[in-house]
Amino acid sequence: MSQPETDARLRRAAELEREAARLRAEARRSAEGPGIGPDEAGPDGAGPDGAGPEADPIPHRQAILDSTTRFAILGTDRDGVVTDWNAGAARLFGWPAAAIRGRGIACLFTPEDRAIDRPGIEMRLALEQGRAEDERWHLRADGTRFWASGEMMPLRDGDGRHIGYVKVVSDRTAEHRAGDALQNAEMRLRRAQEAGGIGVFSVGIDDGILHPTPEFCRLYGLPVAATYPASVFERLVIPDDSHLVSTAESRRRGEPPRDVEYRIRRPDTGERRWIARRGEIERDAAGRPLRFSGVARDVTEARSARDALATSEARYRALFEAVDDGFCIIEFFDGPHGPLSDYVHVEANAGYERHTGIPDIVGRTLRDLAPAEAEGWLELYGGVLRTGTAIRFERAFPLAGRHIEVSAARIEPASRRQVSVLFRDISARRRAEDALRASEALARENIERVQLALAAGAIIGTWLWDLPTDRFSVDEAFARSFGLDPAAGREGLSLAQVVETVHPDDRAGLAEAIEAAIARGGAYAHQYRTRRVDGRYYWLEANGRVDHGPDGTPLRFPGVLIDVEERRAGEAERARVTEQLRSLNETLEQRVAERTAKLMRAEEALRQSQKMEAVGQLTGGLAHDFNNMLAGIVGSLELMQTRMLQGRVGDLERYIGAAQGAARRAAALTHRLLAFSRRQTLAPKPTDVNRLVEGMAELVRRTVGPAVSVEVVGAAGLWPTLVDPSQLENALLNLCINARDAMPDGGRIVVETGNRWLDARAARERDLEPGQYVALCVSDNGTGMTPDVAAKAFDPFFTTKPLGEGTGLGLSMIYGFAKQSGGQVRIYSEPGAGTMVCIYLPRHLGAAEGVETVPDLSEAARAKVGETVLVVDDEPTVRMLVTEVLEDLGYAAIEAADGASGLKVLQSDVRIDLLVTDVGLPGGMNGRQMAEAALVSRPGLKVLFITGYAENAALNHGHLAPGMQVLVKPFALEALATRIRGLIEGAA
């Protein structure tokens, strides 16, 4: 309720009080005269003494009662039964006079008041005290309630006898509710101030008296009081903040500080608190300041938090700039290239420029900085933004000419589209690592040399002497040579324990040589005799090196022991022979020559033995497999001959199929050998690996059987690769068969393709050049491989299968094929968890070719009239087969057995439409040389090379001129017919 409304209600209440007082006085005067109750009236309205109407006529009395309608006036007898009822009572209570007369006054009270006999209490109080006042709820005729202010007085006759009661009632409902509302509002305001810690005040401009609320006093630590001089509060303010407080002068000018924060010292606790005070000047109609009012609250905790936050931010900024590593925050946005197709650097520290060499990075976008590399960086950081998975990697940064270590993480929530990136320049570290790798390579080379020397018996042991701790550790060979405990040798011996075996005559010289080496550092070499396990003394030479620390302190003394017994014996022998040389020079030279020849013969015999052992290992595996295949071919041919002689031709197809199958397996074995040696002839084509895998899926499923499920996962947008499709199909089938064999109880094979962008580190791990590759991976959930088995998996003839169930060439062939195709193959396996083999092939930037269909031989295109083909091959069987096919197709065929014969035909005027020739021909001229010589006189000659072992040098490393193609033996006759027709007609 507003202040004007409250003032209006208060004025109305005062007027009602004045009117009620007038009516009460009128009622008392009436009560002191003749009674107004009907029981006291005589006949015809005469009084009890028989007086006439002019003594106290009823109309006059009723006129008095009805003179006001704003108050209810009612009269009762001594028992509280209503006898008189004015118009105001009828309006207020809703009872007409005729209906209420004769009813008890109790019907005007609420049930709660009737329960405590409130009407009776009022009548007793009025009789005893002369009047009874009350303010309470009363009832109307319709049962509704209203708040009434009433006064009851006893009614007496002229003789002072008690004849009844008169009651005056006024309706105060509006004022009561307004008071309740005001009280509730004040209560809510007090509670709000207490809950929010807010104090309210006002200061008079003229008197300087401050009127505070209780909460305002509590904020300042003063006792609660209705008023205070404003100066009491002003004195609590810290002197440094006194300029922020209003003063009597500033209030009079109407210019006090309005919204300020200052510190006070509370008088009750002595502690300092921050107070936030806001105030406004109230003015009169003329604009003169009347009072200064406002609110105040304690903001100590908020101020402390704000100060702590500012300190924290300052500390964060100092740390942010002090971090040596480069740091930046990037924010992705949608650009012309699509959603999230670019990002901008929104923040960076000073270390960013130090480590990347790029100044003023904030505000610059990726595509502005490195447009050529944008897609790669977007793929890396975009993955972090999408998945929330942090990454860490190293990458060359060509823009800055440095090598950078990068870690990136998403800034939550993801809707911010921000990623934090930490940079560190590791160029120096990479150079050190490269130097370390070179050093390690040299160390490995030296170790290999030492191992070879150990194996040859030249080195009989190694040692490492830790000088500060005098811990002398030796290897097992050293310990065995000198009868020491190998375990003690590994844990460490003292030098005294080691030199116990040195010959007494050599100990002094050994000690002197050791002391000199330790003092100067560097290389050490000394010869002396030691006692070995057989009790005899042998000459050896100790070779080592003493390493000093930066301060010159000797730290390490590693070395090796070399058996020089024979050398010393040789030297002694040489001295003896030298002595004899003066008289037997020619004889000695002859003996030396004989010994040298004998040694050379022994070395040659050793090399020959090693060669034969290697050849035996190779041919043993090949002989086993080829014997099986030849048995199938020879047996099938013999049965075919027998059945033909018997006239039983119905079984020929079965024997033919068996012979062809064995021949195909033999051809596959030769292809594996050539692939292993990386000398097979490949026919690479731009290939869609997804399409190739889909075409092989059904064959793979039939091959692995129903117990193994096969799942193909082809990557969308897979790049093409330049590869021989048939060799890749063979590799895929081999991998799936290996996976099946690793799951004897059944399982799951997943064939998966994908694009791989290998940076320098990833490429180095896979022994590849950095760049883009297509990956074909075959994984299973089988038995897996141990690390030692996986390390040997690509070795030729290595197999874990039982004897007779595998050649051990499958993975060797895949390895050779992948390397020859410019790629690599890697095995990832864990025992009991399965194996994954991945073939990595270089991306081809052109489009993939479609699938080549080879028609059946019966459907092959026929020759045109007069077309002639020259067939040159030193193998009669091959010439016969090719000639038969040509003649069946209508070609005229000419045969030649070597290059010279073939060239003679080519240099004649005989019509030759196509030359079909082997590459390797006898007589000093290979197929390529013959074809090049023929091109001089026949520049448009088409050439088809057929070879089972094509050397790259003979075929110009696979680069053939237009009109030349290669067909690898063994080949399908249908493929031969298709190639011949295509070359003659000029097909690519």
Side-chain angles (χ1 to χ4, degrees), residues 457-460 532 538-541 561-566:
I459 296 178
I460 60 174
R532 300 202 189 171
Y538 295 84
W539 280 98
L540 57 80
E541 179 177 307
L561 295 180
I562 302 174
D563 187 349
V564 295
E565 180 68 23
E566 292 185 4

Side-chain angles (χ1 to χ4, degrees), residues 133-475:
E133 296 180 354
D134 69 344
E135 285 197 5
R136 58 191 347 96
W137 292 104
H138 285 69
L139 290 180
R140 293 190 175 91
D142 58 3
T144 59
R145 300 188 179 204
F146 67 96
W147 184 266
S149 175
E151 183 177 1
M152 179 177 284
M153 298 163 291
L155 190 62
R156 301 182 184 277
D157 60 9
D159 297 329
R161 289 177 297 181
H162 175 222
I163 61 173
Y165 299 93
V166 63
K167 184 175 178 68
V168 180
V169 179
S170 63
D171 185 357
R172 302 293 300 275
T173 304
E175 291 82 354
H176 176 71
R177 288 177 176 166
D180 283 351
L182 181 60
Q183 185 177 8
N184 290 336
E186 291 175 348
M187 180 63 70
R188 286 195 299 271
L189 179 60
R190 282 197 302 274
R191 289 176 179 172
Q193 292 176 12
E194 293 171 359
I198 299 174
V200 180
F201 71 94
S202 66
V203 182
I205 299 299
D206 295 333
D207 57 11
I209 298 300
L210 186 141
H211 300 267
T213 62
E215 186 61 25
F216 188 89
C217 295
R218 284 190 287 270
L219 286 178
Y220 285 81
L222 291 172
V224 175
T227 60
Y228 272 104
S231 59
V232 172
F233 289 88
E234 294 167 5
R235 286 195 296 270
L236 301 179
V237 178
I238 299 300
D240 291 344
D241 296 346
S242 59
H243 63 285
L244 301 173
V245 184
S246 69
T247 62
E249 179 61 28
S250 64
R251 291 192 293 269
R252 276 194 297 272
R253 293 198 309 270
E255 298 175 354
R258 283 173 167 75
D259 192 358
V260 293
E261 290 184 6
Y262 51 76
R263 292 164 292 174
I264 65 167
R265 187 179 299 278
R266 290 179 57 124
D268 54 348
T269 63
E271 64 177 327
R272 288 190 178 190
R273 306 294 292 180
W274 277 95
I275 301 296
R277 191 267 293 149
R278 176 177 294 180
E280 293 292 340
I281 288 289
E282 297 180 30
R283 302 176 183 274
D284 60 12
R288 290 187 298 272
L290 293 177
R291 65 183 64 85
F292 180 53
S293 303
V295 297
R297 57 190 176 93
D298 190 323
V299 294
T300 304
E301 284 72 21
R303 184 65 181 249
S304 298
R306 190 164 66 244
D307 292 345
L309 178 61
T311 302
S312 175
E313 289 179 348
R315 187 181 299 113
Y316 160 75
R317 177 53 59 181
L319 290 174
F320 182 75
E321 295 298 337
V323 171
D324 181 64
D325 292 347
F327 180 79
C328 70
I329 296 176
I330 60 175
E331 183 174 308
F332 282 78
F333 62 88
D334 300 338
H337 297 80
L340 304 180
S341 59
D342 203 353
Y343 59 75
V344 62
H345 297 76
V346 297
E347 191 168 355
N349 69 342
Y352 184 95
E353 181 176 351
R354 287 197 303 273
H355 286 271
T356 65
I358 304 176
D360 303 325
I361 188 65
V362 175
R364 301 183 68 180
T365 66
L366 170 64
R367 294 190 182 275
D368 173 49
L369 282 168
E373 302 173 15
E375 296 301 328
W377 291 106
L378 286 169
E379 182 178 354
L380 284 172
Y381 294 149
V384 174
L385 180 64
R386 289 190 302 272
T387 65
T389 303
I391 61 172
R392 187 183 184 91
F393 60 93
E394 296 177 8
R395 173 165 290 189
F397 205 171
L399 188 64
R402 306 181 185 190
H403 211 94
I404 305 296
E405 181 183 69
V406 184
S407 58
R410 185 172 72 187
I411 298 177
E412 302 297 341
S415 58
R416 296 179 64 175
R417 294 185 170 190
Q418 290 184 343
V419 172
S420 64
V421 185
L422 190 68
F423 288 87
R424 177 176 294 172
D425 184 356
I426 59 170
S427 302
R429 191 186 80 190
R430 286 300 296 264
R431 288 192 294 270
E433 289 175 352
D434 292 342
L436 178 60
R437 277 193 293 271
S439 175
E440 289 175 346
L442 180 60
R444 282 194 299 271
E445 183 179 347
N446 291 335
I447 290 171
E448 290 174 358
R449 291 175 179 172
V450 171
Q451 289 174 343
L452 290 172
L454 284 169
I459 296 178
I460 60 174
T462 65
W463 85 80
L464 175 61
W465 185 11
D466 186 75
L467 295 171
T469 62
D470 192 25
R471 182 174 177 272
F472 201 97
S473 58
V474 301
D475 62 10

Side-chain angles (χ1 to χ4, degrees), residues 24 67 130 265 367 439 555-556 609 690 863 869 873 881 944:
R24 283 196 294 271
S67 62
R265 187 179 299 278
R367 294 190 182 275
S439 175
L555 300 177
R556 299 171 69 254
S609 174
N690 275 345
V869 178
D873 200 301
L881 290 173
L944 176 61

